[in-house]
Amino acid sequence: MPFTQFKLNPSLVTAVKELGFVRPTAVQAEAIPPAVEGRDVMACAQTGSGKTAAFLLPIINRLIDRPRRTTKALVLAPTRELAAQILDDFNALALHTPVTGAAVYGGVAMGPQEHAFRSGVDIIIATPGRLIDHMRSGYASLKHIEHLVLDEADRMLDMGFLPEIRRILAQLPTRRQTLFFSATMPAPIAVLAREMLRNPVSIQTQRQSAPASGITQAVYPVPMELKASLIVHLLSQKTMTQALIFTRTKHRANRLADHLVTAGIRAERIHGNRSQPQRTAALAGFKNGTYPVLVATDIAARGIDVDELGHVVNFDVPQAPEDYIHRVGRTGRAEATGDAFTFVSPEEENDLRDIERAIGRRLPRVTVPDFDYTARPKARLEIPIAQRIAEIRARKREERARAEINAARRSAAARRPGHPPRETRGPGSDRPSRPGGPPRRPAGRGRGPRG
Ligand code: AMP
């Protein structure tokens, strides 16, 4: 079925053609017709399914001929990156229409976002927290919203946004169209969907708990301490031209990115401790090929959409099966093919088994033939926490011992004949003595162990 079969404005069909979309994806084929008619839609769709165009096209279509300067559509997304990505998609799809849009998310100045509200852009794409910040100031009125989209609803609930979502819903007109997208549909999501939707069309284009089709998934068993060497080995073989690598923590993302750069691989990092400009620059550099490798933690990577992203590497096994499905959804975009590799150390086998149960199959194990699995690690990414605590304790013991020796030396010197008594001014001191106060350190001595 071509895009021309939908009742879409010709300017949208042109944009779709310019983007190179030849035929609709499954979720687009099912969601666009009822959404164009104004019906509510509840779709189980993950990243890579083409869900963004599935909700944007019908909304832009309905707004084309409406008066401007009043915000009539609101898209809620869990992360800044996803909101920015949706805005990019919107700009491409609405290119030949008068419909305007803006993204509203944290980490950047409020001013331009306030201007977007005040000027009444047609569509606001927002993360819940920042939207509420604007709502507090009065100018962000949602009373004319006619179309609401919840994108990645499951992720929003995972991130604890339910109270914010409820506060936002309370400000919206009840007569509206709601399009509800979620990769998974656990009970709390189904409850929220029931509350928000009126007589929705339900769409389930793929099995709820399987990654997008076309993805080649494999597991690389490897000792934890050799993971860094293995990734350098695989990247140096040039079989991976572009890779998004997930680590469990921000600390590991930093250490791994540093390690790759030291090994001569152009890599950037993206995680919650980085400022918004840093994240934006890292993502832009990854997209334009300046950095063929991007190391990321889960949350920050939501919404990363890179054309023809060939490889996703789970450097650490995700702890929740849904995270695995979401991460792997970064590759195999819109039914293309891609590879998803997961490094598994013996201590992560249990988490891997949970993932295999969730996706309903055992993933193939791969051994890299020319990699030395017995080698001593060249670098350690992380010092185990117990060892770090032991090191801190040892350092403190050393500091205390040094302080005691210094104190003993000082009191021995004070007892030597000719040394000024403790309560008088020492030579060279420009401060008055403090009769009755605590003893001063003799002048000319070091500043103690921390120096
Ligand atoms: P998402 O909307 O996050 O699931 O992303 C889907 C990706 O596939 C984006 O890169 C879109 O530009 C692309 N895409 C969406 N719809 C189509 C289509 N019908 N044909 C080809 N690519 C598409």
Side-chain angles (χ1 to χ4, degrees):
M1 184 196 4
F3 276 93
T4 44
Q5 283 200 11
F6 299 131
K7 294 180 197 149
L8 289 173
N9 188 290
S11 54
L12 291 174
V13 179
T14 306
V16 159
K17 206 178 287 169
E18 285 169 356
L19 283 168
F21 300 178
V22 180
R23 61 186 173 86
T25 63
V27 69
Q28 290 165 0
E30 292 201 41
I32 292 175
V36 164
E37 300 293 326
R39 299 252 336 241
D40 281 6
V41 170
M42 177 169 91
C44 223
Q46 45 198 259
T47 309
S49 59
K51 63 186 170 67
T52 316
F55 62 73
L56 284 179
L57 284 171
I59 293 178
I60 301 169
N61 192 61
R62 289 179 76 87
L63 295 181
I64 286 177
D65 296 326
R66 302 294 310 282
R68 311 260 78 86
R69 302 190 68 79
T70 318
T71 302
K72 293 183 223 51
L74 173 66
V75 178
L76 290 177
T79 63
R80 303 163 184 182
E81 281 73 22
L82 185 58
Q85 180 63 51
I86 297 170
L87 181 67
D88 283 351
D89 289 359
F90 166 81
N91 286 333
L93 291 169
L95 185 66
H96 305 293
T97 76
V99 181
T100 54
V104 163
Y105 49 77
V108 290
M110 300 273 279
Q113 300 178 358
E114 177 182 341
H115 176 74
F117 281 109
R118 289 192 188 278
S119 62
V121 294
D122 293 299
I123 298 188
I124 293 268
I125 300 149
T127 53
R130 179 52 79 94
L131 176 59
I132 286 183
D133 289 346
H134 284 289
M135 284 160 60
R136 281 199 194 101
S137 309
Y139 51 77
S141 163
L142 302 179
K143 60 176 187 281
H144 299 293
I145 295 292
E146 296 170 14
H147 309 277
L148 169 70
V149 178
L150 239 73
D151 193 16
E152 303 201 354
D154 51 350
R155 178 56 55 150
M156 279 202 269
L157 261 58
D158 281 354
M159 290 171 70
F161 279 135
L162 188 56
E164 282 87 350
I165 291 174
R166 289 202 189 287
R167 281 179 63 186
I168 294 165
L169 285 178
Q171 301 297 315
L172 297 175
T174 45
R175 262 183 69 86
R176 57 161 200 262
Q177 178 184 38
T178 305
L179 308 175
F180 189 102
F181 286 77
S182 190
T184 56
M185 213 44 88
I189 300 290
V191 169
L192 180 66
R194 259 198 307 276
E195 272 175 44
M196 294 177 59
L197 297 163
R198 280 181 316 156
N199 187 25
V201 174
S202 281
I203 294 170
Q204 176 98 37
T205 49
Q206 57 229 328
R207 274 197 48 217
Q208 198 170 314
S209 50
S213 58
I215 297 165
T216 319
Q217 300 167 69
V219 164
Y220 287 67
V222 58
M224 185 63 87
E225 63 276 12
L226 284 185
K227 284 184 172 186
S229 312
L230 181 59
I231 191 69
V232 170
H233 181 86
L234 292 176
L235 288 166
S236 314
Q237 285 182 329
K238 309 273 182 234
T239 40
M240 285 196 222
T241 47
Q242 196 187 29
L244 177 59
I245 305 177
F246 289 98
T247 61
R248 202 181 48 233
T249 62
K250 299 168 202 168
H251 178 67
R252 273 170 80 76
N254 278 334
R255 299 292 301 265
L256 178 58
D258 289 343
H259 179 73
L260 294 175
V261 169
T262 310
I265 295 162
R266 280 175 290 128
E268 249 299 359
R269 70 209 72 185
I270 183 165
H271 56 66
N273 280 1
R274 307 214 84 203
S275 66
Q276 189 56 39
Q278 285 174 323
R279 291 193 204 190
T280 307
L283 200 50
F286 184 54
K287 285 183 178 185
N288 67 25
T290 309
Y291 305 107
V293 176
L294 185 63
V295 185
T297 55
D298 255 329
I299 301 259
R302 303 290 304 167
I304 292 178
D305 171 20
V306 180
D307 292 341
E308 294 166 28
L309 169 53
H311 292 87
V312 163
V313 178
N314 291 310
F315 192 76
D316 299 311
V317 177
Q319 276 171 346
E322 299 82 59
D323 288 336
Y324 178 84
I325 293 161
H326 277 296
R327 285 185 193 181
V328 168
R330 314 277 128 205
T331 184
R333 320 281 306 174
E335 297 158 6
T337 56
D339 290 317
F341 300 155
T342 302
F343 287 8
V344 184
S345 67
E347 50 273 49
E348 294 172 306
E349 285 284 348
N350 280 343
D351 288 335
L352 178 67
R353 263 192 292 279
D354 289 345
I355 289 168
E356 290 180 322
R357 247 193 306 273
I359 62 174
R361 70 186 178 96
R362 186 179 150 81
L363 299 171
R365 268 53 175 177
V366 176
T367 307
V368 181
D370 50 350
F371 180 72
D372 183 1
Y373 285 88
T374 60
R376 281 175 61 81
K378 290 203 182 82
R380 243 185 347 168
L381 284 191
E382 214 168 36
I383 302 165
I385 187 83
Q387 190 179 332
R388 260 189 278 167
I389 291 170
E391 282 172 6
I392 291 168
R393 284 196 178 136
R395 201 171 54 238
K396 289 228 160 102
R397 265 199 307 276
E398 216 173 280
E399 283 173 5
R400 267 198 307 274
R402 240 180 323 183
E404 278 165 18
I405 291 169
N406 283 343
R409 279 196 192 131
R410 278 198 299 272
S411 65
R415 281 197 300 273
R416 271 202 298 276
H419 193 277
R422 277 168 72 186
E423 297 293 325
T424 59
R425 292 173 61 182
S429 169
D430 57 354
R431 297 163 108 191
S433 64
R434 294 183 300 165
R440 252 184 225 299
R441 207 186 282 134
R445 286 272 165 211
R447 283 189 290 137
R450 288 160 53 137

